[in-house]
Amino acid sequence: MVQAPLPGLIRSRRGASVLVLVMAFGLAILIGQTYMLARQIQGYKETQRTNLSAARIHLLSMLDQMLAQQITIRNSRFSTNSELVRCLTGTPSPCDEKISYDMILYAPNPPVIYQGGAWPAPPAGLTTTAGGLNSNKILFNAAGGRCDSRGANEPSESCPMQAIIQFRPLCGGSVSIPDFQGTSGSICGAAANGFEFTIGVGIISNGNFVYHADTSQNGDAKVYRMSATVLQN
């Protein structure tokens, strides 16, 4: 004869079933919340990347406009740019076309009168707009604000943009139309005939610093060639 389950056993089975349902429901809520949080974080990161990309384009455009004015280069004739004056004069030794030299770009205003002779120290308060890739780094936050006051000297998540300027001497061609020497060698025979200046913006992306010095239409840099006479009176 088959006996009916005891009332207590029935209640126990029902309780276990309810517990399983509650646990499954709670797990489903947890998974859903985790998924939504991940989506929110991903959306936030995408927004950050979009904003940083727009800020980089804007900063590069501003630097491009400044470098397009020869007065900006002329207003950077200071002792802080010792490699630039060395390539310009070939003293104490000529420069190498294969090397991209770091320099500091100063604002075109207020204009500084250069009267010849040794390049002086920059006057106090003159704004620096770009620095080298490896030295004298000039950093900006994602809103385009300067990070100088924070004492920052390396790109970071809070200062993710670096304004970069470098140059290469042009030892071939002529002073009127300077060019690279090509097959004749990479070391200048004496003073450079001109310079190729590259201005760009590097950024922090996924925790890594990214700068390609890409001067194509949608690249992260712009390039200008100028005669050595631009830096002479």
Short mmCIF file of all heavy atoms in Angstrom, two decimals, residues 94-155:
data_model
loop_
_atom_site.label_atom_id
_atom_site.label_comp_id
_atom_site.label_asym_id
_atom_site.label_seq_id
_atom_site.Cartn_x
_atom_site.Cartn_y
_atom_site.Cartn_z
N PRO A 94 77.60 70.44 -36.91
CA PRO A 94 76.39 70.37 -37.74
C PRO A 94 75.40 69.35 -37.19
O PRO A 94 75.74 68.50 -36.36
CB PRO A 94 76.92 69.93 -39.11
CG PRO A 94 78.39 70.20 -39.08
CD PRO A 94 78.80 70.01 -37.64
N CYS A 95 74.17 69.43 -37.68
CA CYS A 95 73.11 68.54 -37.22
C CYS A 95 72.88 67.39 -38.21
O CYS A 95 73.44 67.35 -39.30
CB CYS A 95 71.83 69.32 -37.03
SG CYS A 95 71.89 70.46 -35.62
N ASP A 96 72.05 66.46 -37.79
CA ASP A 96 71.78 65.25 -38.55
C ASP A 96 70.34 65.29 -39.06
O ASP A 96 69.39 65.43 -38.27
CB ASP A 96 72.00 64.03 -37.64
CG ASP A 96 71.95 62.71 -38.39
OD1 ASP A 96 71.34 62.65 -39.48
OD2 ASP A 96 72.52 61.73 -37.89
N GLU A 97 70.15 65.14 -40.36
CA GLU A 97 68.81 65.17 -40.95
C GLU A 97 67.91 64.03 -40.49
O GLU A 97 66.69 64.15 -40.54
CB GLU A 97 68.92 65.11 -42.49
CG GLU A 97 69.41 66.37 -43.15
CD GLU A 97 69.36 66.26 -44.65
OE1 GLU A 97 69.51 65.12 -45.17
OE2 GLU A 97 69.18 67.28 -45.32
N LYS A 98 68.51 62.94 -40.07
CA LYS A 98 67.72 61.78 -39.67
C LYS A 98 67.12 61.91 -38.27
O LYS A 98 66.28 61.10 -37.88
CB LYS A 98 68.58 60.52 -39.73
CG LYS A 98 68.99 60.11 -41.14
CD LYS A 98 69.80 58.82 -41.12
CE LYS A 98 70.19 58.40 -42.53
NZ LYS A 98 71.00 57.15 -42.52
N ILE A 99 67.56 62.91 -37.52
CA ILE A 99 67.10 63.08 -36.14
C ILE A 99 65.98 64.10 -36.08
O ILE A 99 66.05 65.17 -36.69
CB ILE A 99 68.27 63.52 -35.23
CG1 ILE A 99 69.33 62.43 -35.17
CG2 ILE A 99 67.76 63.84 -33.82
CD1 ILE A 99 70.56 62.80 -34.35
N SER A 100 64.93 63.77 -35.32
CA SER A 100 63.88 64.73 -35.01
C SER A 100 64.22 65.35 -33.66
O SER A 100 64.18 64.68 -32.63
CB SER A 100 62.51 64.05 -34.96
OG SER A 100 62.12 63.60 -36.24
N TYR A 101 64.57 66.62 -33.68
CA TYR A 101 65.02 67.31 -32.47
C TYR A 101 63.83 67.94 -31.74
O TYR A 101 62.98 68.57 -32.36
CB TYR A 101 66.03 68.40 -32.81
CG TYR A 101 67.33 67.91 -33.40
CD1 TYR A 101 67.48 67.75 -34.78
CD2 TYR A 101 68.42 67.60 -32.59
CE1 TYR A 101 68.68 67.30 -35.33
CE2 TYR A 101 69.62 67.16 -33.13
CZ TYR A 101 69.74 67.01 -34.51
OH TYR A 101 70.93 66.56 -35.04
N ASP A 102 63.80 67.78 -30.42
CA ASP A 102 62.79 68.44 -29.60
C ASP A 102 63.08 69.94 -29.54
O ASP A 102 64.24 70.37 -29.61
CB ASP A 102 62.81 67.90 -28.17
CG ASP A 102 62.11 66.56 -28.04
OD1 ASP A 102 61.49 66.11 -29.02
OD2 ASP A 102 62.21 65.95 -26.96
N MET A 103 62.03 70.73 -29.39
CA MET A 103 62.19 72.17 -29.17
C MET A 103 61.01 72.68 -28.35
O MET A 103 60.14 71.89 -27.94
CB MET A 103 62.30 72.92 -30.50
CG MET A 103 61.05 72.88 -31.37
SD MET A 103 61.13 73.99 -32.81
CE MET A 103 60.95 75.60 -32.01
N ILE A 104 60.99 73.97 -28.11
CA ILE A 104 59.87 74.61 -27.40
C ILE A 104 59.30 75.69 -28.31
O ILE A 104 60.05 76.51 -28.85
CB ILE A 104 60.31 75.22 -26.06
CG1 ILE A 104 60.91 74.16 -25.14
CG2 ILE A 104 59.14 75.91 -25.37
CD1 ILE A 104 61.52 74.72 -23.87
N LEU A 105 57.99 75.68 -28.49
CA LEU A 105 57.32 76.70 -29.30
C LEU A 105 56.64 77.69 -28.35
O LEU A 105 55.89 77.29 -27.47
CB LEU A 105 56.28 76.06 -30.21
CG LEU A 105 55.66 76.98 -31.26
CD1 LEU A 105 56.69 77.34 -32.34
CD2 LEU A 105 54.44 76.32 -31.90
N TYR A 106 56.94 78.96 -28.57
CA TYR A 106 56.37 80.02 -27.73
C TYR A 106 55.26 80.73 -28.48
O TYR A 106 55.21 80.73 -29.71
CB TYR A 106 57.45 81.01 -27.32
CG TYR A 106 58.50 80.42 -26.39
CD1 TYR A 106 59.60 79.75 -26.91
CD2 TYR A 106 58.37 80.51 -25.02
CE1 TYR A 106 60.55 79.19 -26.07
CE2 TYR A 106 59.32 79.96 -24.17
CZ TYR A 106 60.41 79.30 -24.70
OH TYR A 106 61.35 78.73 -23.87
N ALA A 107 54.38 81.36 -27.74
CA ALA A 107 53.27 82.09 -28.33
C ALA A 107 53.79 83.27 -29.16
O ALA A 107 54.81 83.86 -28.83
CB ALA A 107 52.33 82.59 -27.24
N PRO A 108 53.09 83.62 -30.24
CA PRO A 108 53.53 84.75 -31.07
C PRO A 108 53.30 86.11 -30.44
O PRO A 108 53.83 87.12 -30.91
CB PRO A 108 52.70 84.58 -32.35
CG PRO A 108 51.48 83.85 -31.90
CD PRO A 108 51.92 82.93 -30.80
N ASN A 109 52.51 86.14 -29.38
CA ASN A 109 52.24 87.40 -28.68
C ASN A 109 52.53 87.27 -27.19
O ASN A 109 52.20 86.26 -26.59
CB ASN A 109 50.78 87.82 -28.88
CG ASN A 109 50.51 88.30 -30.29
OD1 ASN A 109 51.16 89.20 -30.77
ND2 ASN A 109 49.55 87.67 -30.95
N PRO A 110 53.17 88.30 -26.60
CA PRO A 110 53.65 89.51 -27.26
C PRO A 110 54.91 89.24 -28.06
O PRO A 110 55.72 88.39 -27.67
CB PRO A 110 53.94 90.44 -26.08
CG PRO A 110 54.31 89.51 -24.96
CD PRO A 110 53.45 88.30 -25.15
N PRO A 111 55.11 89.94 -29.20
CA PRO A 111 56.32 89.72 -30.00
C PRO A 111 57.56 90.15 -29.25
O PRO A 111 57.56 91.17 -28.56
CB PRO A 111 56.06 90.57 -31.25
CG PRO A 111 55.06 91.60 -30.82
CD PRO A 111 54.21 90.94 -29.80
N VAL A 112 58.62 89.36 -29.38
CA VAL A 112 59.89 89.66 -28.72
C VAL A 112 60.88 90.14 -29.78
O VAL A 112 61.05 89.49 -30.82
CB VAL A 112 60.44 88.42 -27.99
CG1 VAL A 112 61.79 88.72 -27.35
CG2 VAL A 112 59.45 87.94 -26.94
N ILE A 113 61.51 91.26 -29.53
CA ILE A 113 62.46 91.83 -30.48
C ILE A 113 63.81 91.14 -30.32
O ILE A 113 64.39 91.15 -29.23
CB ILE A 113 62.62 93.34 -30.28
CG1 ILE A 113 61.25 94.04 -30.39
CG2 ILE A 113 63.59 93.91 -31.31
CD1 ILE A 113 60.55 93.82 -31.71
N TYR A 114 64.26 90.52 -31.39
CA TYR A 114 65.57 89.86 -31.40
C TYR A 114 66.55 90.77 -32.12
O TYR A 114 66.32 91.20 -33.25
CB TYR A 114 65.46 88.51 -32.12
CG TYR A 114 66.78 87.81 -32.35
CD1 TYR A 114 67.56 87.38 -31.27
CD2 TYR A 114 67.24 87.58 -33.64
CE1 TYR A 114 68.77 86.73 -31.49
CE2 TYR A 114 68.45 86.93 -33.87
CZ TYR A 114 69.20 86.51 -32.78
OH TYR A 114 70.41 85.88 -33.00
N GLN A 115 67.65 91.09 -31.46
CA GLN A 115 68.60 92.06 -32.00
C GLN A 115 69.91 91.43 -32.45
O GLN A 115 70.92 92.11 -32.59
CB GLN A 115 68.86 93.14 -30.95
CG GLN A 115 67.60 93.91 -30.58
CD GLN A 115 67.83 94.95 -29.50
OE1 GLN A 115 68.84 94.92 -28.81
NE2 GLN A 115 66.89 95.86 -29.36
N GLY A 116 69.89 90.13 -32.70
CA GLY A 116 71.10 89.45 -33.16
C GLY A 116 71.95 88.98 -31.99
O GLY A 116 71.64 89.22 -30.82
N GLY A 117 73.03 88.28 -32.33
CA GLY A 117 73.89 87.74 -31.29
C GLY A 117 73.33 86.45 -30.72
O GLY A 117 72.48 85.79 -31.33
N ALA A 118 73.81 86.08 -29.55
CA ALA A 118 73.34 84.85 -28.90
C ALA A 118 71.86 84.97 -28.54
O ALA A 118 71.39 86.04 -28.14
CB ALA A 118 74.17 84.60 -27.64
N TRP A 119 71.15 83.87 -28.72
CA TRP A 119 69.73 83.90 -28.38
C TRP A 119 69.58 84.03 -26.86
O TRP A 119 70.21 83.28 -26.09
CB TRP A 119 69.04 82.62 -28.86
CG TRP A 119 68.89 82.57 -30.35
CD1 TRP A 119 69.34 83.48 -31.26
CD2 TRP A 119 68.22 81.55 -31.10
NE1 TRP A 119 69.01 83.11 -32.54
CE2 TRP A 119 68.32 81.92 -32.48
CE3 TRP A 119 67.57 80.37 -30.77
CZ2 TRP A 119 67.78 81.15 -33.50
CZ3 TRP A 119 67.02 79.60 -31.79
CH2 TRP A 119 67.12 79.98 -33.14
N PRO A 120 68.73 84.95 -26.40
CA PRO A 120 68.59 85.19 -24.96
C PRO A 120 67.68 84.16 -24.29
O PRO A 120 67.02 83.36 -24.97
CB PRO A 120 67.95 86.58 -24.92
CG PRO A 120 67.10 86.61 -26.16
CD PRO A 120 67.88 85.85 -27.19
N ALA A 121 67.63 84.21 -22.98
CA ALA A 121 66.66 83.39 -22.24
C ALA A 121 65.27 83.96 -22.48
O ALA A 121 65.12 85.17 -22.69
CB ALA A 121 66.99 83.41 -20.75
N PRO A 122 64.24 83.13 -22.49
CA PRO A 122 62.87 83.65 -22.72
C PRO A 122 62.45 84.55 -21.56
O PRO A 122 62.78 84.28 -20.40
CB PRO A 122 62.02 82.38 -22.78
CG PRO A 122 62.81 81.35 -22.04
CD PRO A 122 64.25 81.67 -22.28
N PRO A 123 61.74 85.62 -21.87
CA PRO A 123 61.27 86.51 -20.79
C PRO A 123 60.25 85.80 -19.91
O PRO A 123 59.51 84.93 -20.37
CB PRO A 123 60.64 87.68 -21.55
CG PRO A 123 60.30 87.12 -22.89
CD PRO A 123 61.33 86.08 -23.19
N ALA A 124 60.23 86.16 -18.66
CA ALA A 124 59.29 85.56 -17.71
C ALA A 124 57.86 85.83 -18.16
O ALA A 124 57.52 86.93 -18.59
CB ALA A 124 59.53 86.13 -16.31
N GLY A 125 57.05 84.79 -18.09
CA GLY A 125 55.64 84.95 -18.41
C GLY A 125 55.27 84.68 -19.85
O GLY A 125 54.08 84.63 -20.18
N LEU A 126 56.27 84.51 -20.74
CA LEU A 126 55.95 84.21 -22.14
C LEU A 126 55.38 82.80 -22.22
O LEU A 126 55.98 81.84 -21.72
CB LEU A 126 57.20 84.34 -23.01
CG LEU A 126 56.97 84.19 -24.52
CD1 LEU A 126 56.06 85.30 -25.03
CD2 LEU A 126 58.30 84.22 -25.27
N THR A 127 54.24 82.65 -22.86
CA THR A 127 53.53 81.37 -22.88
C THR A 127 54.19 80.36 -23.81
O THR A 127 54.53 80.68 -24.95
CB THR A 127 52.07 81.58 -23.34
OG1 THR A 127 51.44 82.50 -22.46
CG2 THR A 127 51.30 80.28 -23.34
N THR A 128 54.37 79.15 -23.31
CA THR A 128 54.82 78.05 -24.15
C THR A 128 53.58 77.34 -24.70
O THR A 128 52.63 77.07 -23.96
CB THR A 128 55.68 77.05 -23.36
OG1 THR A 128 54.97 76.64 -22.19
CG2 THR A 128 57.00 77.69 -22.94
N THR A 129 53.59 77.05 -26.00
CA THR A 129 52.41 76.42 -26.61
C THR A 129 52.62 74.96 -26.94
O THR A 129 51.67 74.20 -27.07
CB THR A 129 52.01 77.18 -27.89
OG1 THR A 129 53.11 77.16 -28.81
CG2 THR A 129 51.65 78.62 -27.57
N ALA A 130 53.88 74.55 -27.12
CA ALA A 130 54.18 73.15 -27.41
C ALA A 130 55.62 72.88 -26.97
O ALA A 130 56.46 73.78 -26.96
CB ALA A 130 54.01 72.82 -28.89
N GLY A 131 55.88 71.64 -26.60
CA GLY A 131 57.22 71.24 -26.19
C GLY A 131 57.65 69.98 -26.94
O GLY A 131 56.98 69.55 -27.88
N GLY A 132 58.75 69.41 -26.52
CA GLY A 132 59.27 68.24 -27.20
C GLY A 132 58.47 66.98 -26.91
O GLY A 132 57.63 66.94 -26.01
N LEU A 133 58.76 65.96 -27.68
CA LEU A 133 58.15 64.65 -27.44
C LEU A 133 58.71 64.03 -26.18
O LEU A 133 57.98 63.41 -25.40
CB LEU A 133 58.42 63.73 -28.64
CG LEU A 133 57.97 62.27 -28.50
CD1 LEU A 133 56.47 62.17 -28.32
CD2 LEU A 133 58.42 61.46 -29.71
N ASN A 134 60.01 64.25 -25.94
CA ASN A 134 60.68 63.61 -24.81
C ASN A 134 61.13 64.59 -23.73
O ASN A 134 61.47 64.16 -22.63
CB ASN A 134 61.90 62.84 -25.32
CG ASN A 134 61.54 61.80 -26.37
OD1 ASN A 134 60.74 60.91 -26.12
ND2 ASN A 134 62.09 61.94 -27.57
N SER A 135 61.16 65.86 -24.03
CA SER A 135 61.62 66.86 -23.06
C SER A 135 60.71 68.08 -23.08
O SER A 135 60.03 68.34 -24.07
CB SER A 135 63.05 67.27 -23.39
OG SER A 135 63.12 67.85 -24.69
N ASN A 136 60.72 68.80 -21.95
CA ASN A 136 59.91 70.03 -21.84
C ASN A 136 58.47 69.80 -22.29
O ASN A 136 57.93 70.55 -23.12
CB ASN A 136 60.54 71.16 -22.66
CG ASN A 136 61.95 71.48 -22.22
OD1 ASN A 136 62.19 71.76 -21.06
ND2 ASN A 136 62.90 71.43 -23.15
N LYS A 137 57.84 68.78 -21.76
CA LYS A 137 56.51 68.38 -22.20
C LYS A 137 55.46 69.41 -21.78
O LYS A 137 55.46 69.90 -20.66
CB LYS A 137 56.16 67.00 -21.64
CG LYS A 137 57.10 65.91 -22.13
CD LYS A 137 56.76 64.56 -21.54
CE LYS A 137 57.75 63.49 -22.04
NZ LYS A 137 57.45 62.17 -21.49
N ILE A 138 54.56 69.72 -22.73
CA ILE A 138 53.45 70.64 -22.49
C ILE A 138 52.15 69.84 -22.55
O ILE A 138 51.81 69.26 -23.58
CB ILE A 138 53.41 71.77 -23.55
CG1 ILE A 138 54.75 72.51 -23.59
CG2 ILE A 138 52.27 72.73 -23.26
CD1 ILE A 138 55.15 73.19 -22.30
N LEU A 139 51.44 69.81 -21.42
CA LEU A 139 50.28 68.94 -21.28
C LEU A 139 48.98 69.73 -21.15
O LEU A 139 48.97 70.85 -20.62
CB LEU A 139 50.45 68.03 -20.06
CG LEU A 139 51.76 67.23 -20.00
CD1 LEU A 139 51.82 66.44 -18.70
CD2 LEU A 139 51.89 66.30 -21.20
N PHE A 140 47.90 69.10 -21.60
CA PHE A 140 46.57 69.71 -21.53
C PHE A 140 45.56 68.68 -21.01
O PHE A 140 45.74 67.47 -21.22
CB PHE A 140 46.11 70.17 -22.92
CG PHE A 140 46.91 71.31 -23.49
CD1 PHE A 140 48.13 71.07 -24.09
CD2 PHE A 140 46.44 72.61 -23.42
CE1 PHE A 140 48.88 72.11 -24.63
CE2 PHE A 140 47.17 73.66 -23.96
CZ PHE A 140 48.40 73.41 -24.56
N ASN A 141 44.51 69.18 -20.35
CA ASN A 141 43.43 68.27 -19.96
C ASN A 141 42.44 68.13 -21.12
O ASN A 141 42.58 68.79 -22.16
CB ASN A 141 42.74 68.74 -18.67
CG ASN A 141 42.12 70.13 -18.81
OD1 ASN A 141 41.63 70.51 -19.87
ND2 ASN A 141 42.12 70.89 -17.73
N ALA A 142 41.43 67.29 -20.94
CA ALA A 142 40.48 67.00 -22.02
C ALA A 142 39.64 68.21 -22.40
O ALA A 142 39.06 68.25 -23.49
CB ALA A 142 39.58 65.83 -21.63
N ALA A 143 39.56 69.21 -21.51
CA ALA A 143 38.80 70.42 -21.81
C ALA A 143 39.67 71.47 -22.51
O ALA A 143 39.19 72.55 -22.84
CB ALA A 143 38.21 71.00 -20.53
N GLY A 144 40.94 71.14 -22.73
CA GLY A 144 41.84 72.07 -23.39
C GLY A 144 42.59 72.99 -22.45
O GLY A 144 43.30 73.89 -22.89
N GLY A 145 42.44 72.77 -21.14
CA GLY A 145 43.14 73.59 -20.16
C GLY A 145 44.56 73.11 -19.93
O GLY A 145 44.85 71.92 -20.04
N ARG A 146 45.45 74.04 -19.59
CA ARG A 146 46.84 73.69 -19.35
C ARG A 146 46.98 72.97 -18.00
O ARG A 146 46.25 73.22 -17.05
CB ARG A 146 47.70 74.96 -19.33
CG ARG A 146 47.79 75.66 -20.67
CD ARG A 146 48.65 74.88 -21.63
NE ARG A 146 50.03 74.89 -21.23
CZ ARG A 146 50.93 75.77 -21.67
NH1 ARG A 146 50.58 76.70 -22.53
NH2 ARG A 146 52.19 75.70 -21.26
N CYS A 147 47.95 72.07 -17.95
CA CYS A 147 48.20 71.31 -16.73
C CYS A 147 49.47 71.80 -16.00
O CYS A 147 49.92 71.15 -15.07
CB CYS A 147 48.35 69.83 -17.05
SG CYS A 147 46.83 69.05 -17.62
N ASP A 148 50.01 72.93 -16.42
CA ASP A 148 51.24 73.44 -15.83
C ASP A 148 51.13 73.65 -14.32
O ASP A 148 52.03 73.30 -13.56
CB ASP A 148 51.63 74.78 -16.48
CG ASP A 148 51.70 74.69 -17.99
OD1 ASP A 148 50.71 74.24 -18.59
OD2 ASP A 148 52.73 75.07 -18.56
N SER A 149 50.01 74.25 -13.90
CA SER A 149 49.87 74.60 -12.49
C SER A 149 49.82 73.38 -11.58
O SER A 149 50.07 73.49 -10.39
CB SER A 149 48.59 75.43 -12.29
OG SER A 149 47.46 74.70 -12.72
N ARG A 150 49.52 72.23 -12.14
CA ARG A 150 49.46 71.00 -11.33
C ARG A 150 50.85 70.36 -11.16
O ARG A 150 51.00 69.39 -10.42
CB ARG A 150 48.54 69.98 -11.99
CG ARG A 150 47.13 70.49 -12.27
CD ARG A 150 46.31 69.38 -12.91
NE ARG A 150 45.02 69.85 -13.39
CZ ARG A 150 44.15 69.07 -14.00
NH1 ARG A 150 44.43 67.80 -14.20
NH2 ARG A 150 43.00 69.55 -14.43
N GLY A 151 51.82 70.88 -11.86
CA GLY A 151 53.16 70.30 -11.78
C GLY A 151 53.26 68.99 -12.55
O GLY A 151 54.20 68.22 -12.35
N ALA A 152 52.30 68.73 -13.45
CA ALA A 152 52.31 67.48 -14.22
C ALA A 152 53.42 67.52 -15.26
O ALA A 152 53.61 68.53 -15.94
CB ALA A 152 50.96 67.27 -14.90
N ASN A 153 54.17 66.45 -15.38
CA ASN A 153 55.23 66.39 -16.40
C ASN A 153 55.13 65.15 -17.28
O ASN A 153 56.00 64.93 -18.12
CB ASN A 153 56.61 66.47 -15.75
CG ASN A 153 56.79 65.43 -14.65
OD1 ASN A 153 56.10 64.41 -14.63
ND2 ASN A 153 57.69 65.70 -13.72
N GLU A 154 54.10 64.35 -17.10
CA GLU A 154 53.86 63.18 -17.94
C GLU A 154 52.37 63.10 -18.25
O GLU A 154 51.54 63.40 -17.40
CB GLU A 154 54.32 61.90 -17.25
CG GLU A 154 55.82 61.75 -17.08
CD GLU A 154 56.56 61.60 -18.41
OE1 GLU A 154 55.93 61.19 -19.40
OE2 GLU A 154 57.77 61.89 -18.45
N PRO A 155 52.00 62.69 -19.47
CA PRO A 155 50.58 62.52 -19.79
C PRO A 155 49.92 61.52 -18.85
O PRO A 155 50.53 60.53 -18.44
CB PRO A 155 50.60 62.00 -21.23
CG PRO A 155 51.93 62.39 -21.78
CD PRO A 155 52.87 62.36 -20.62
#
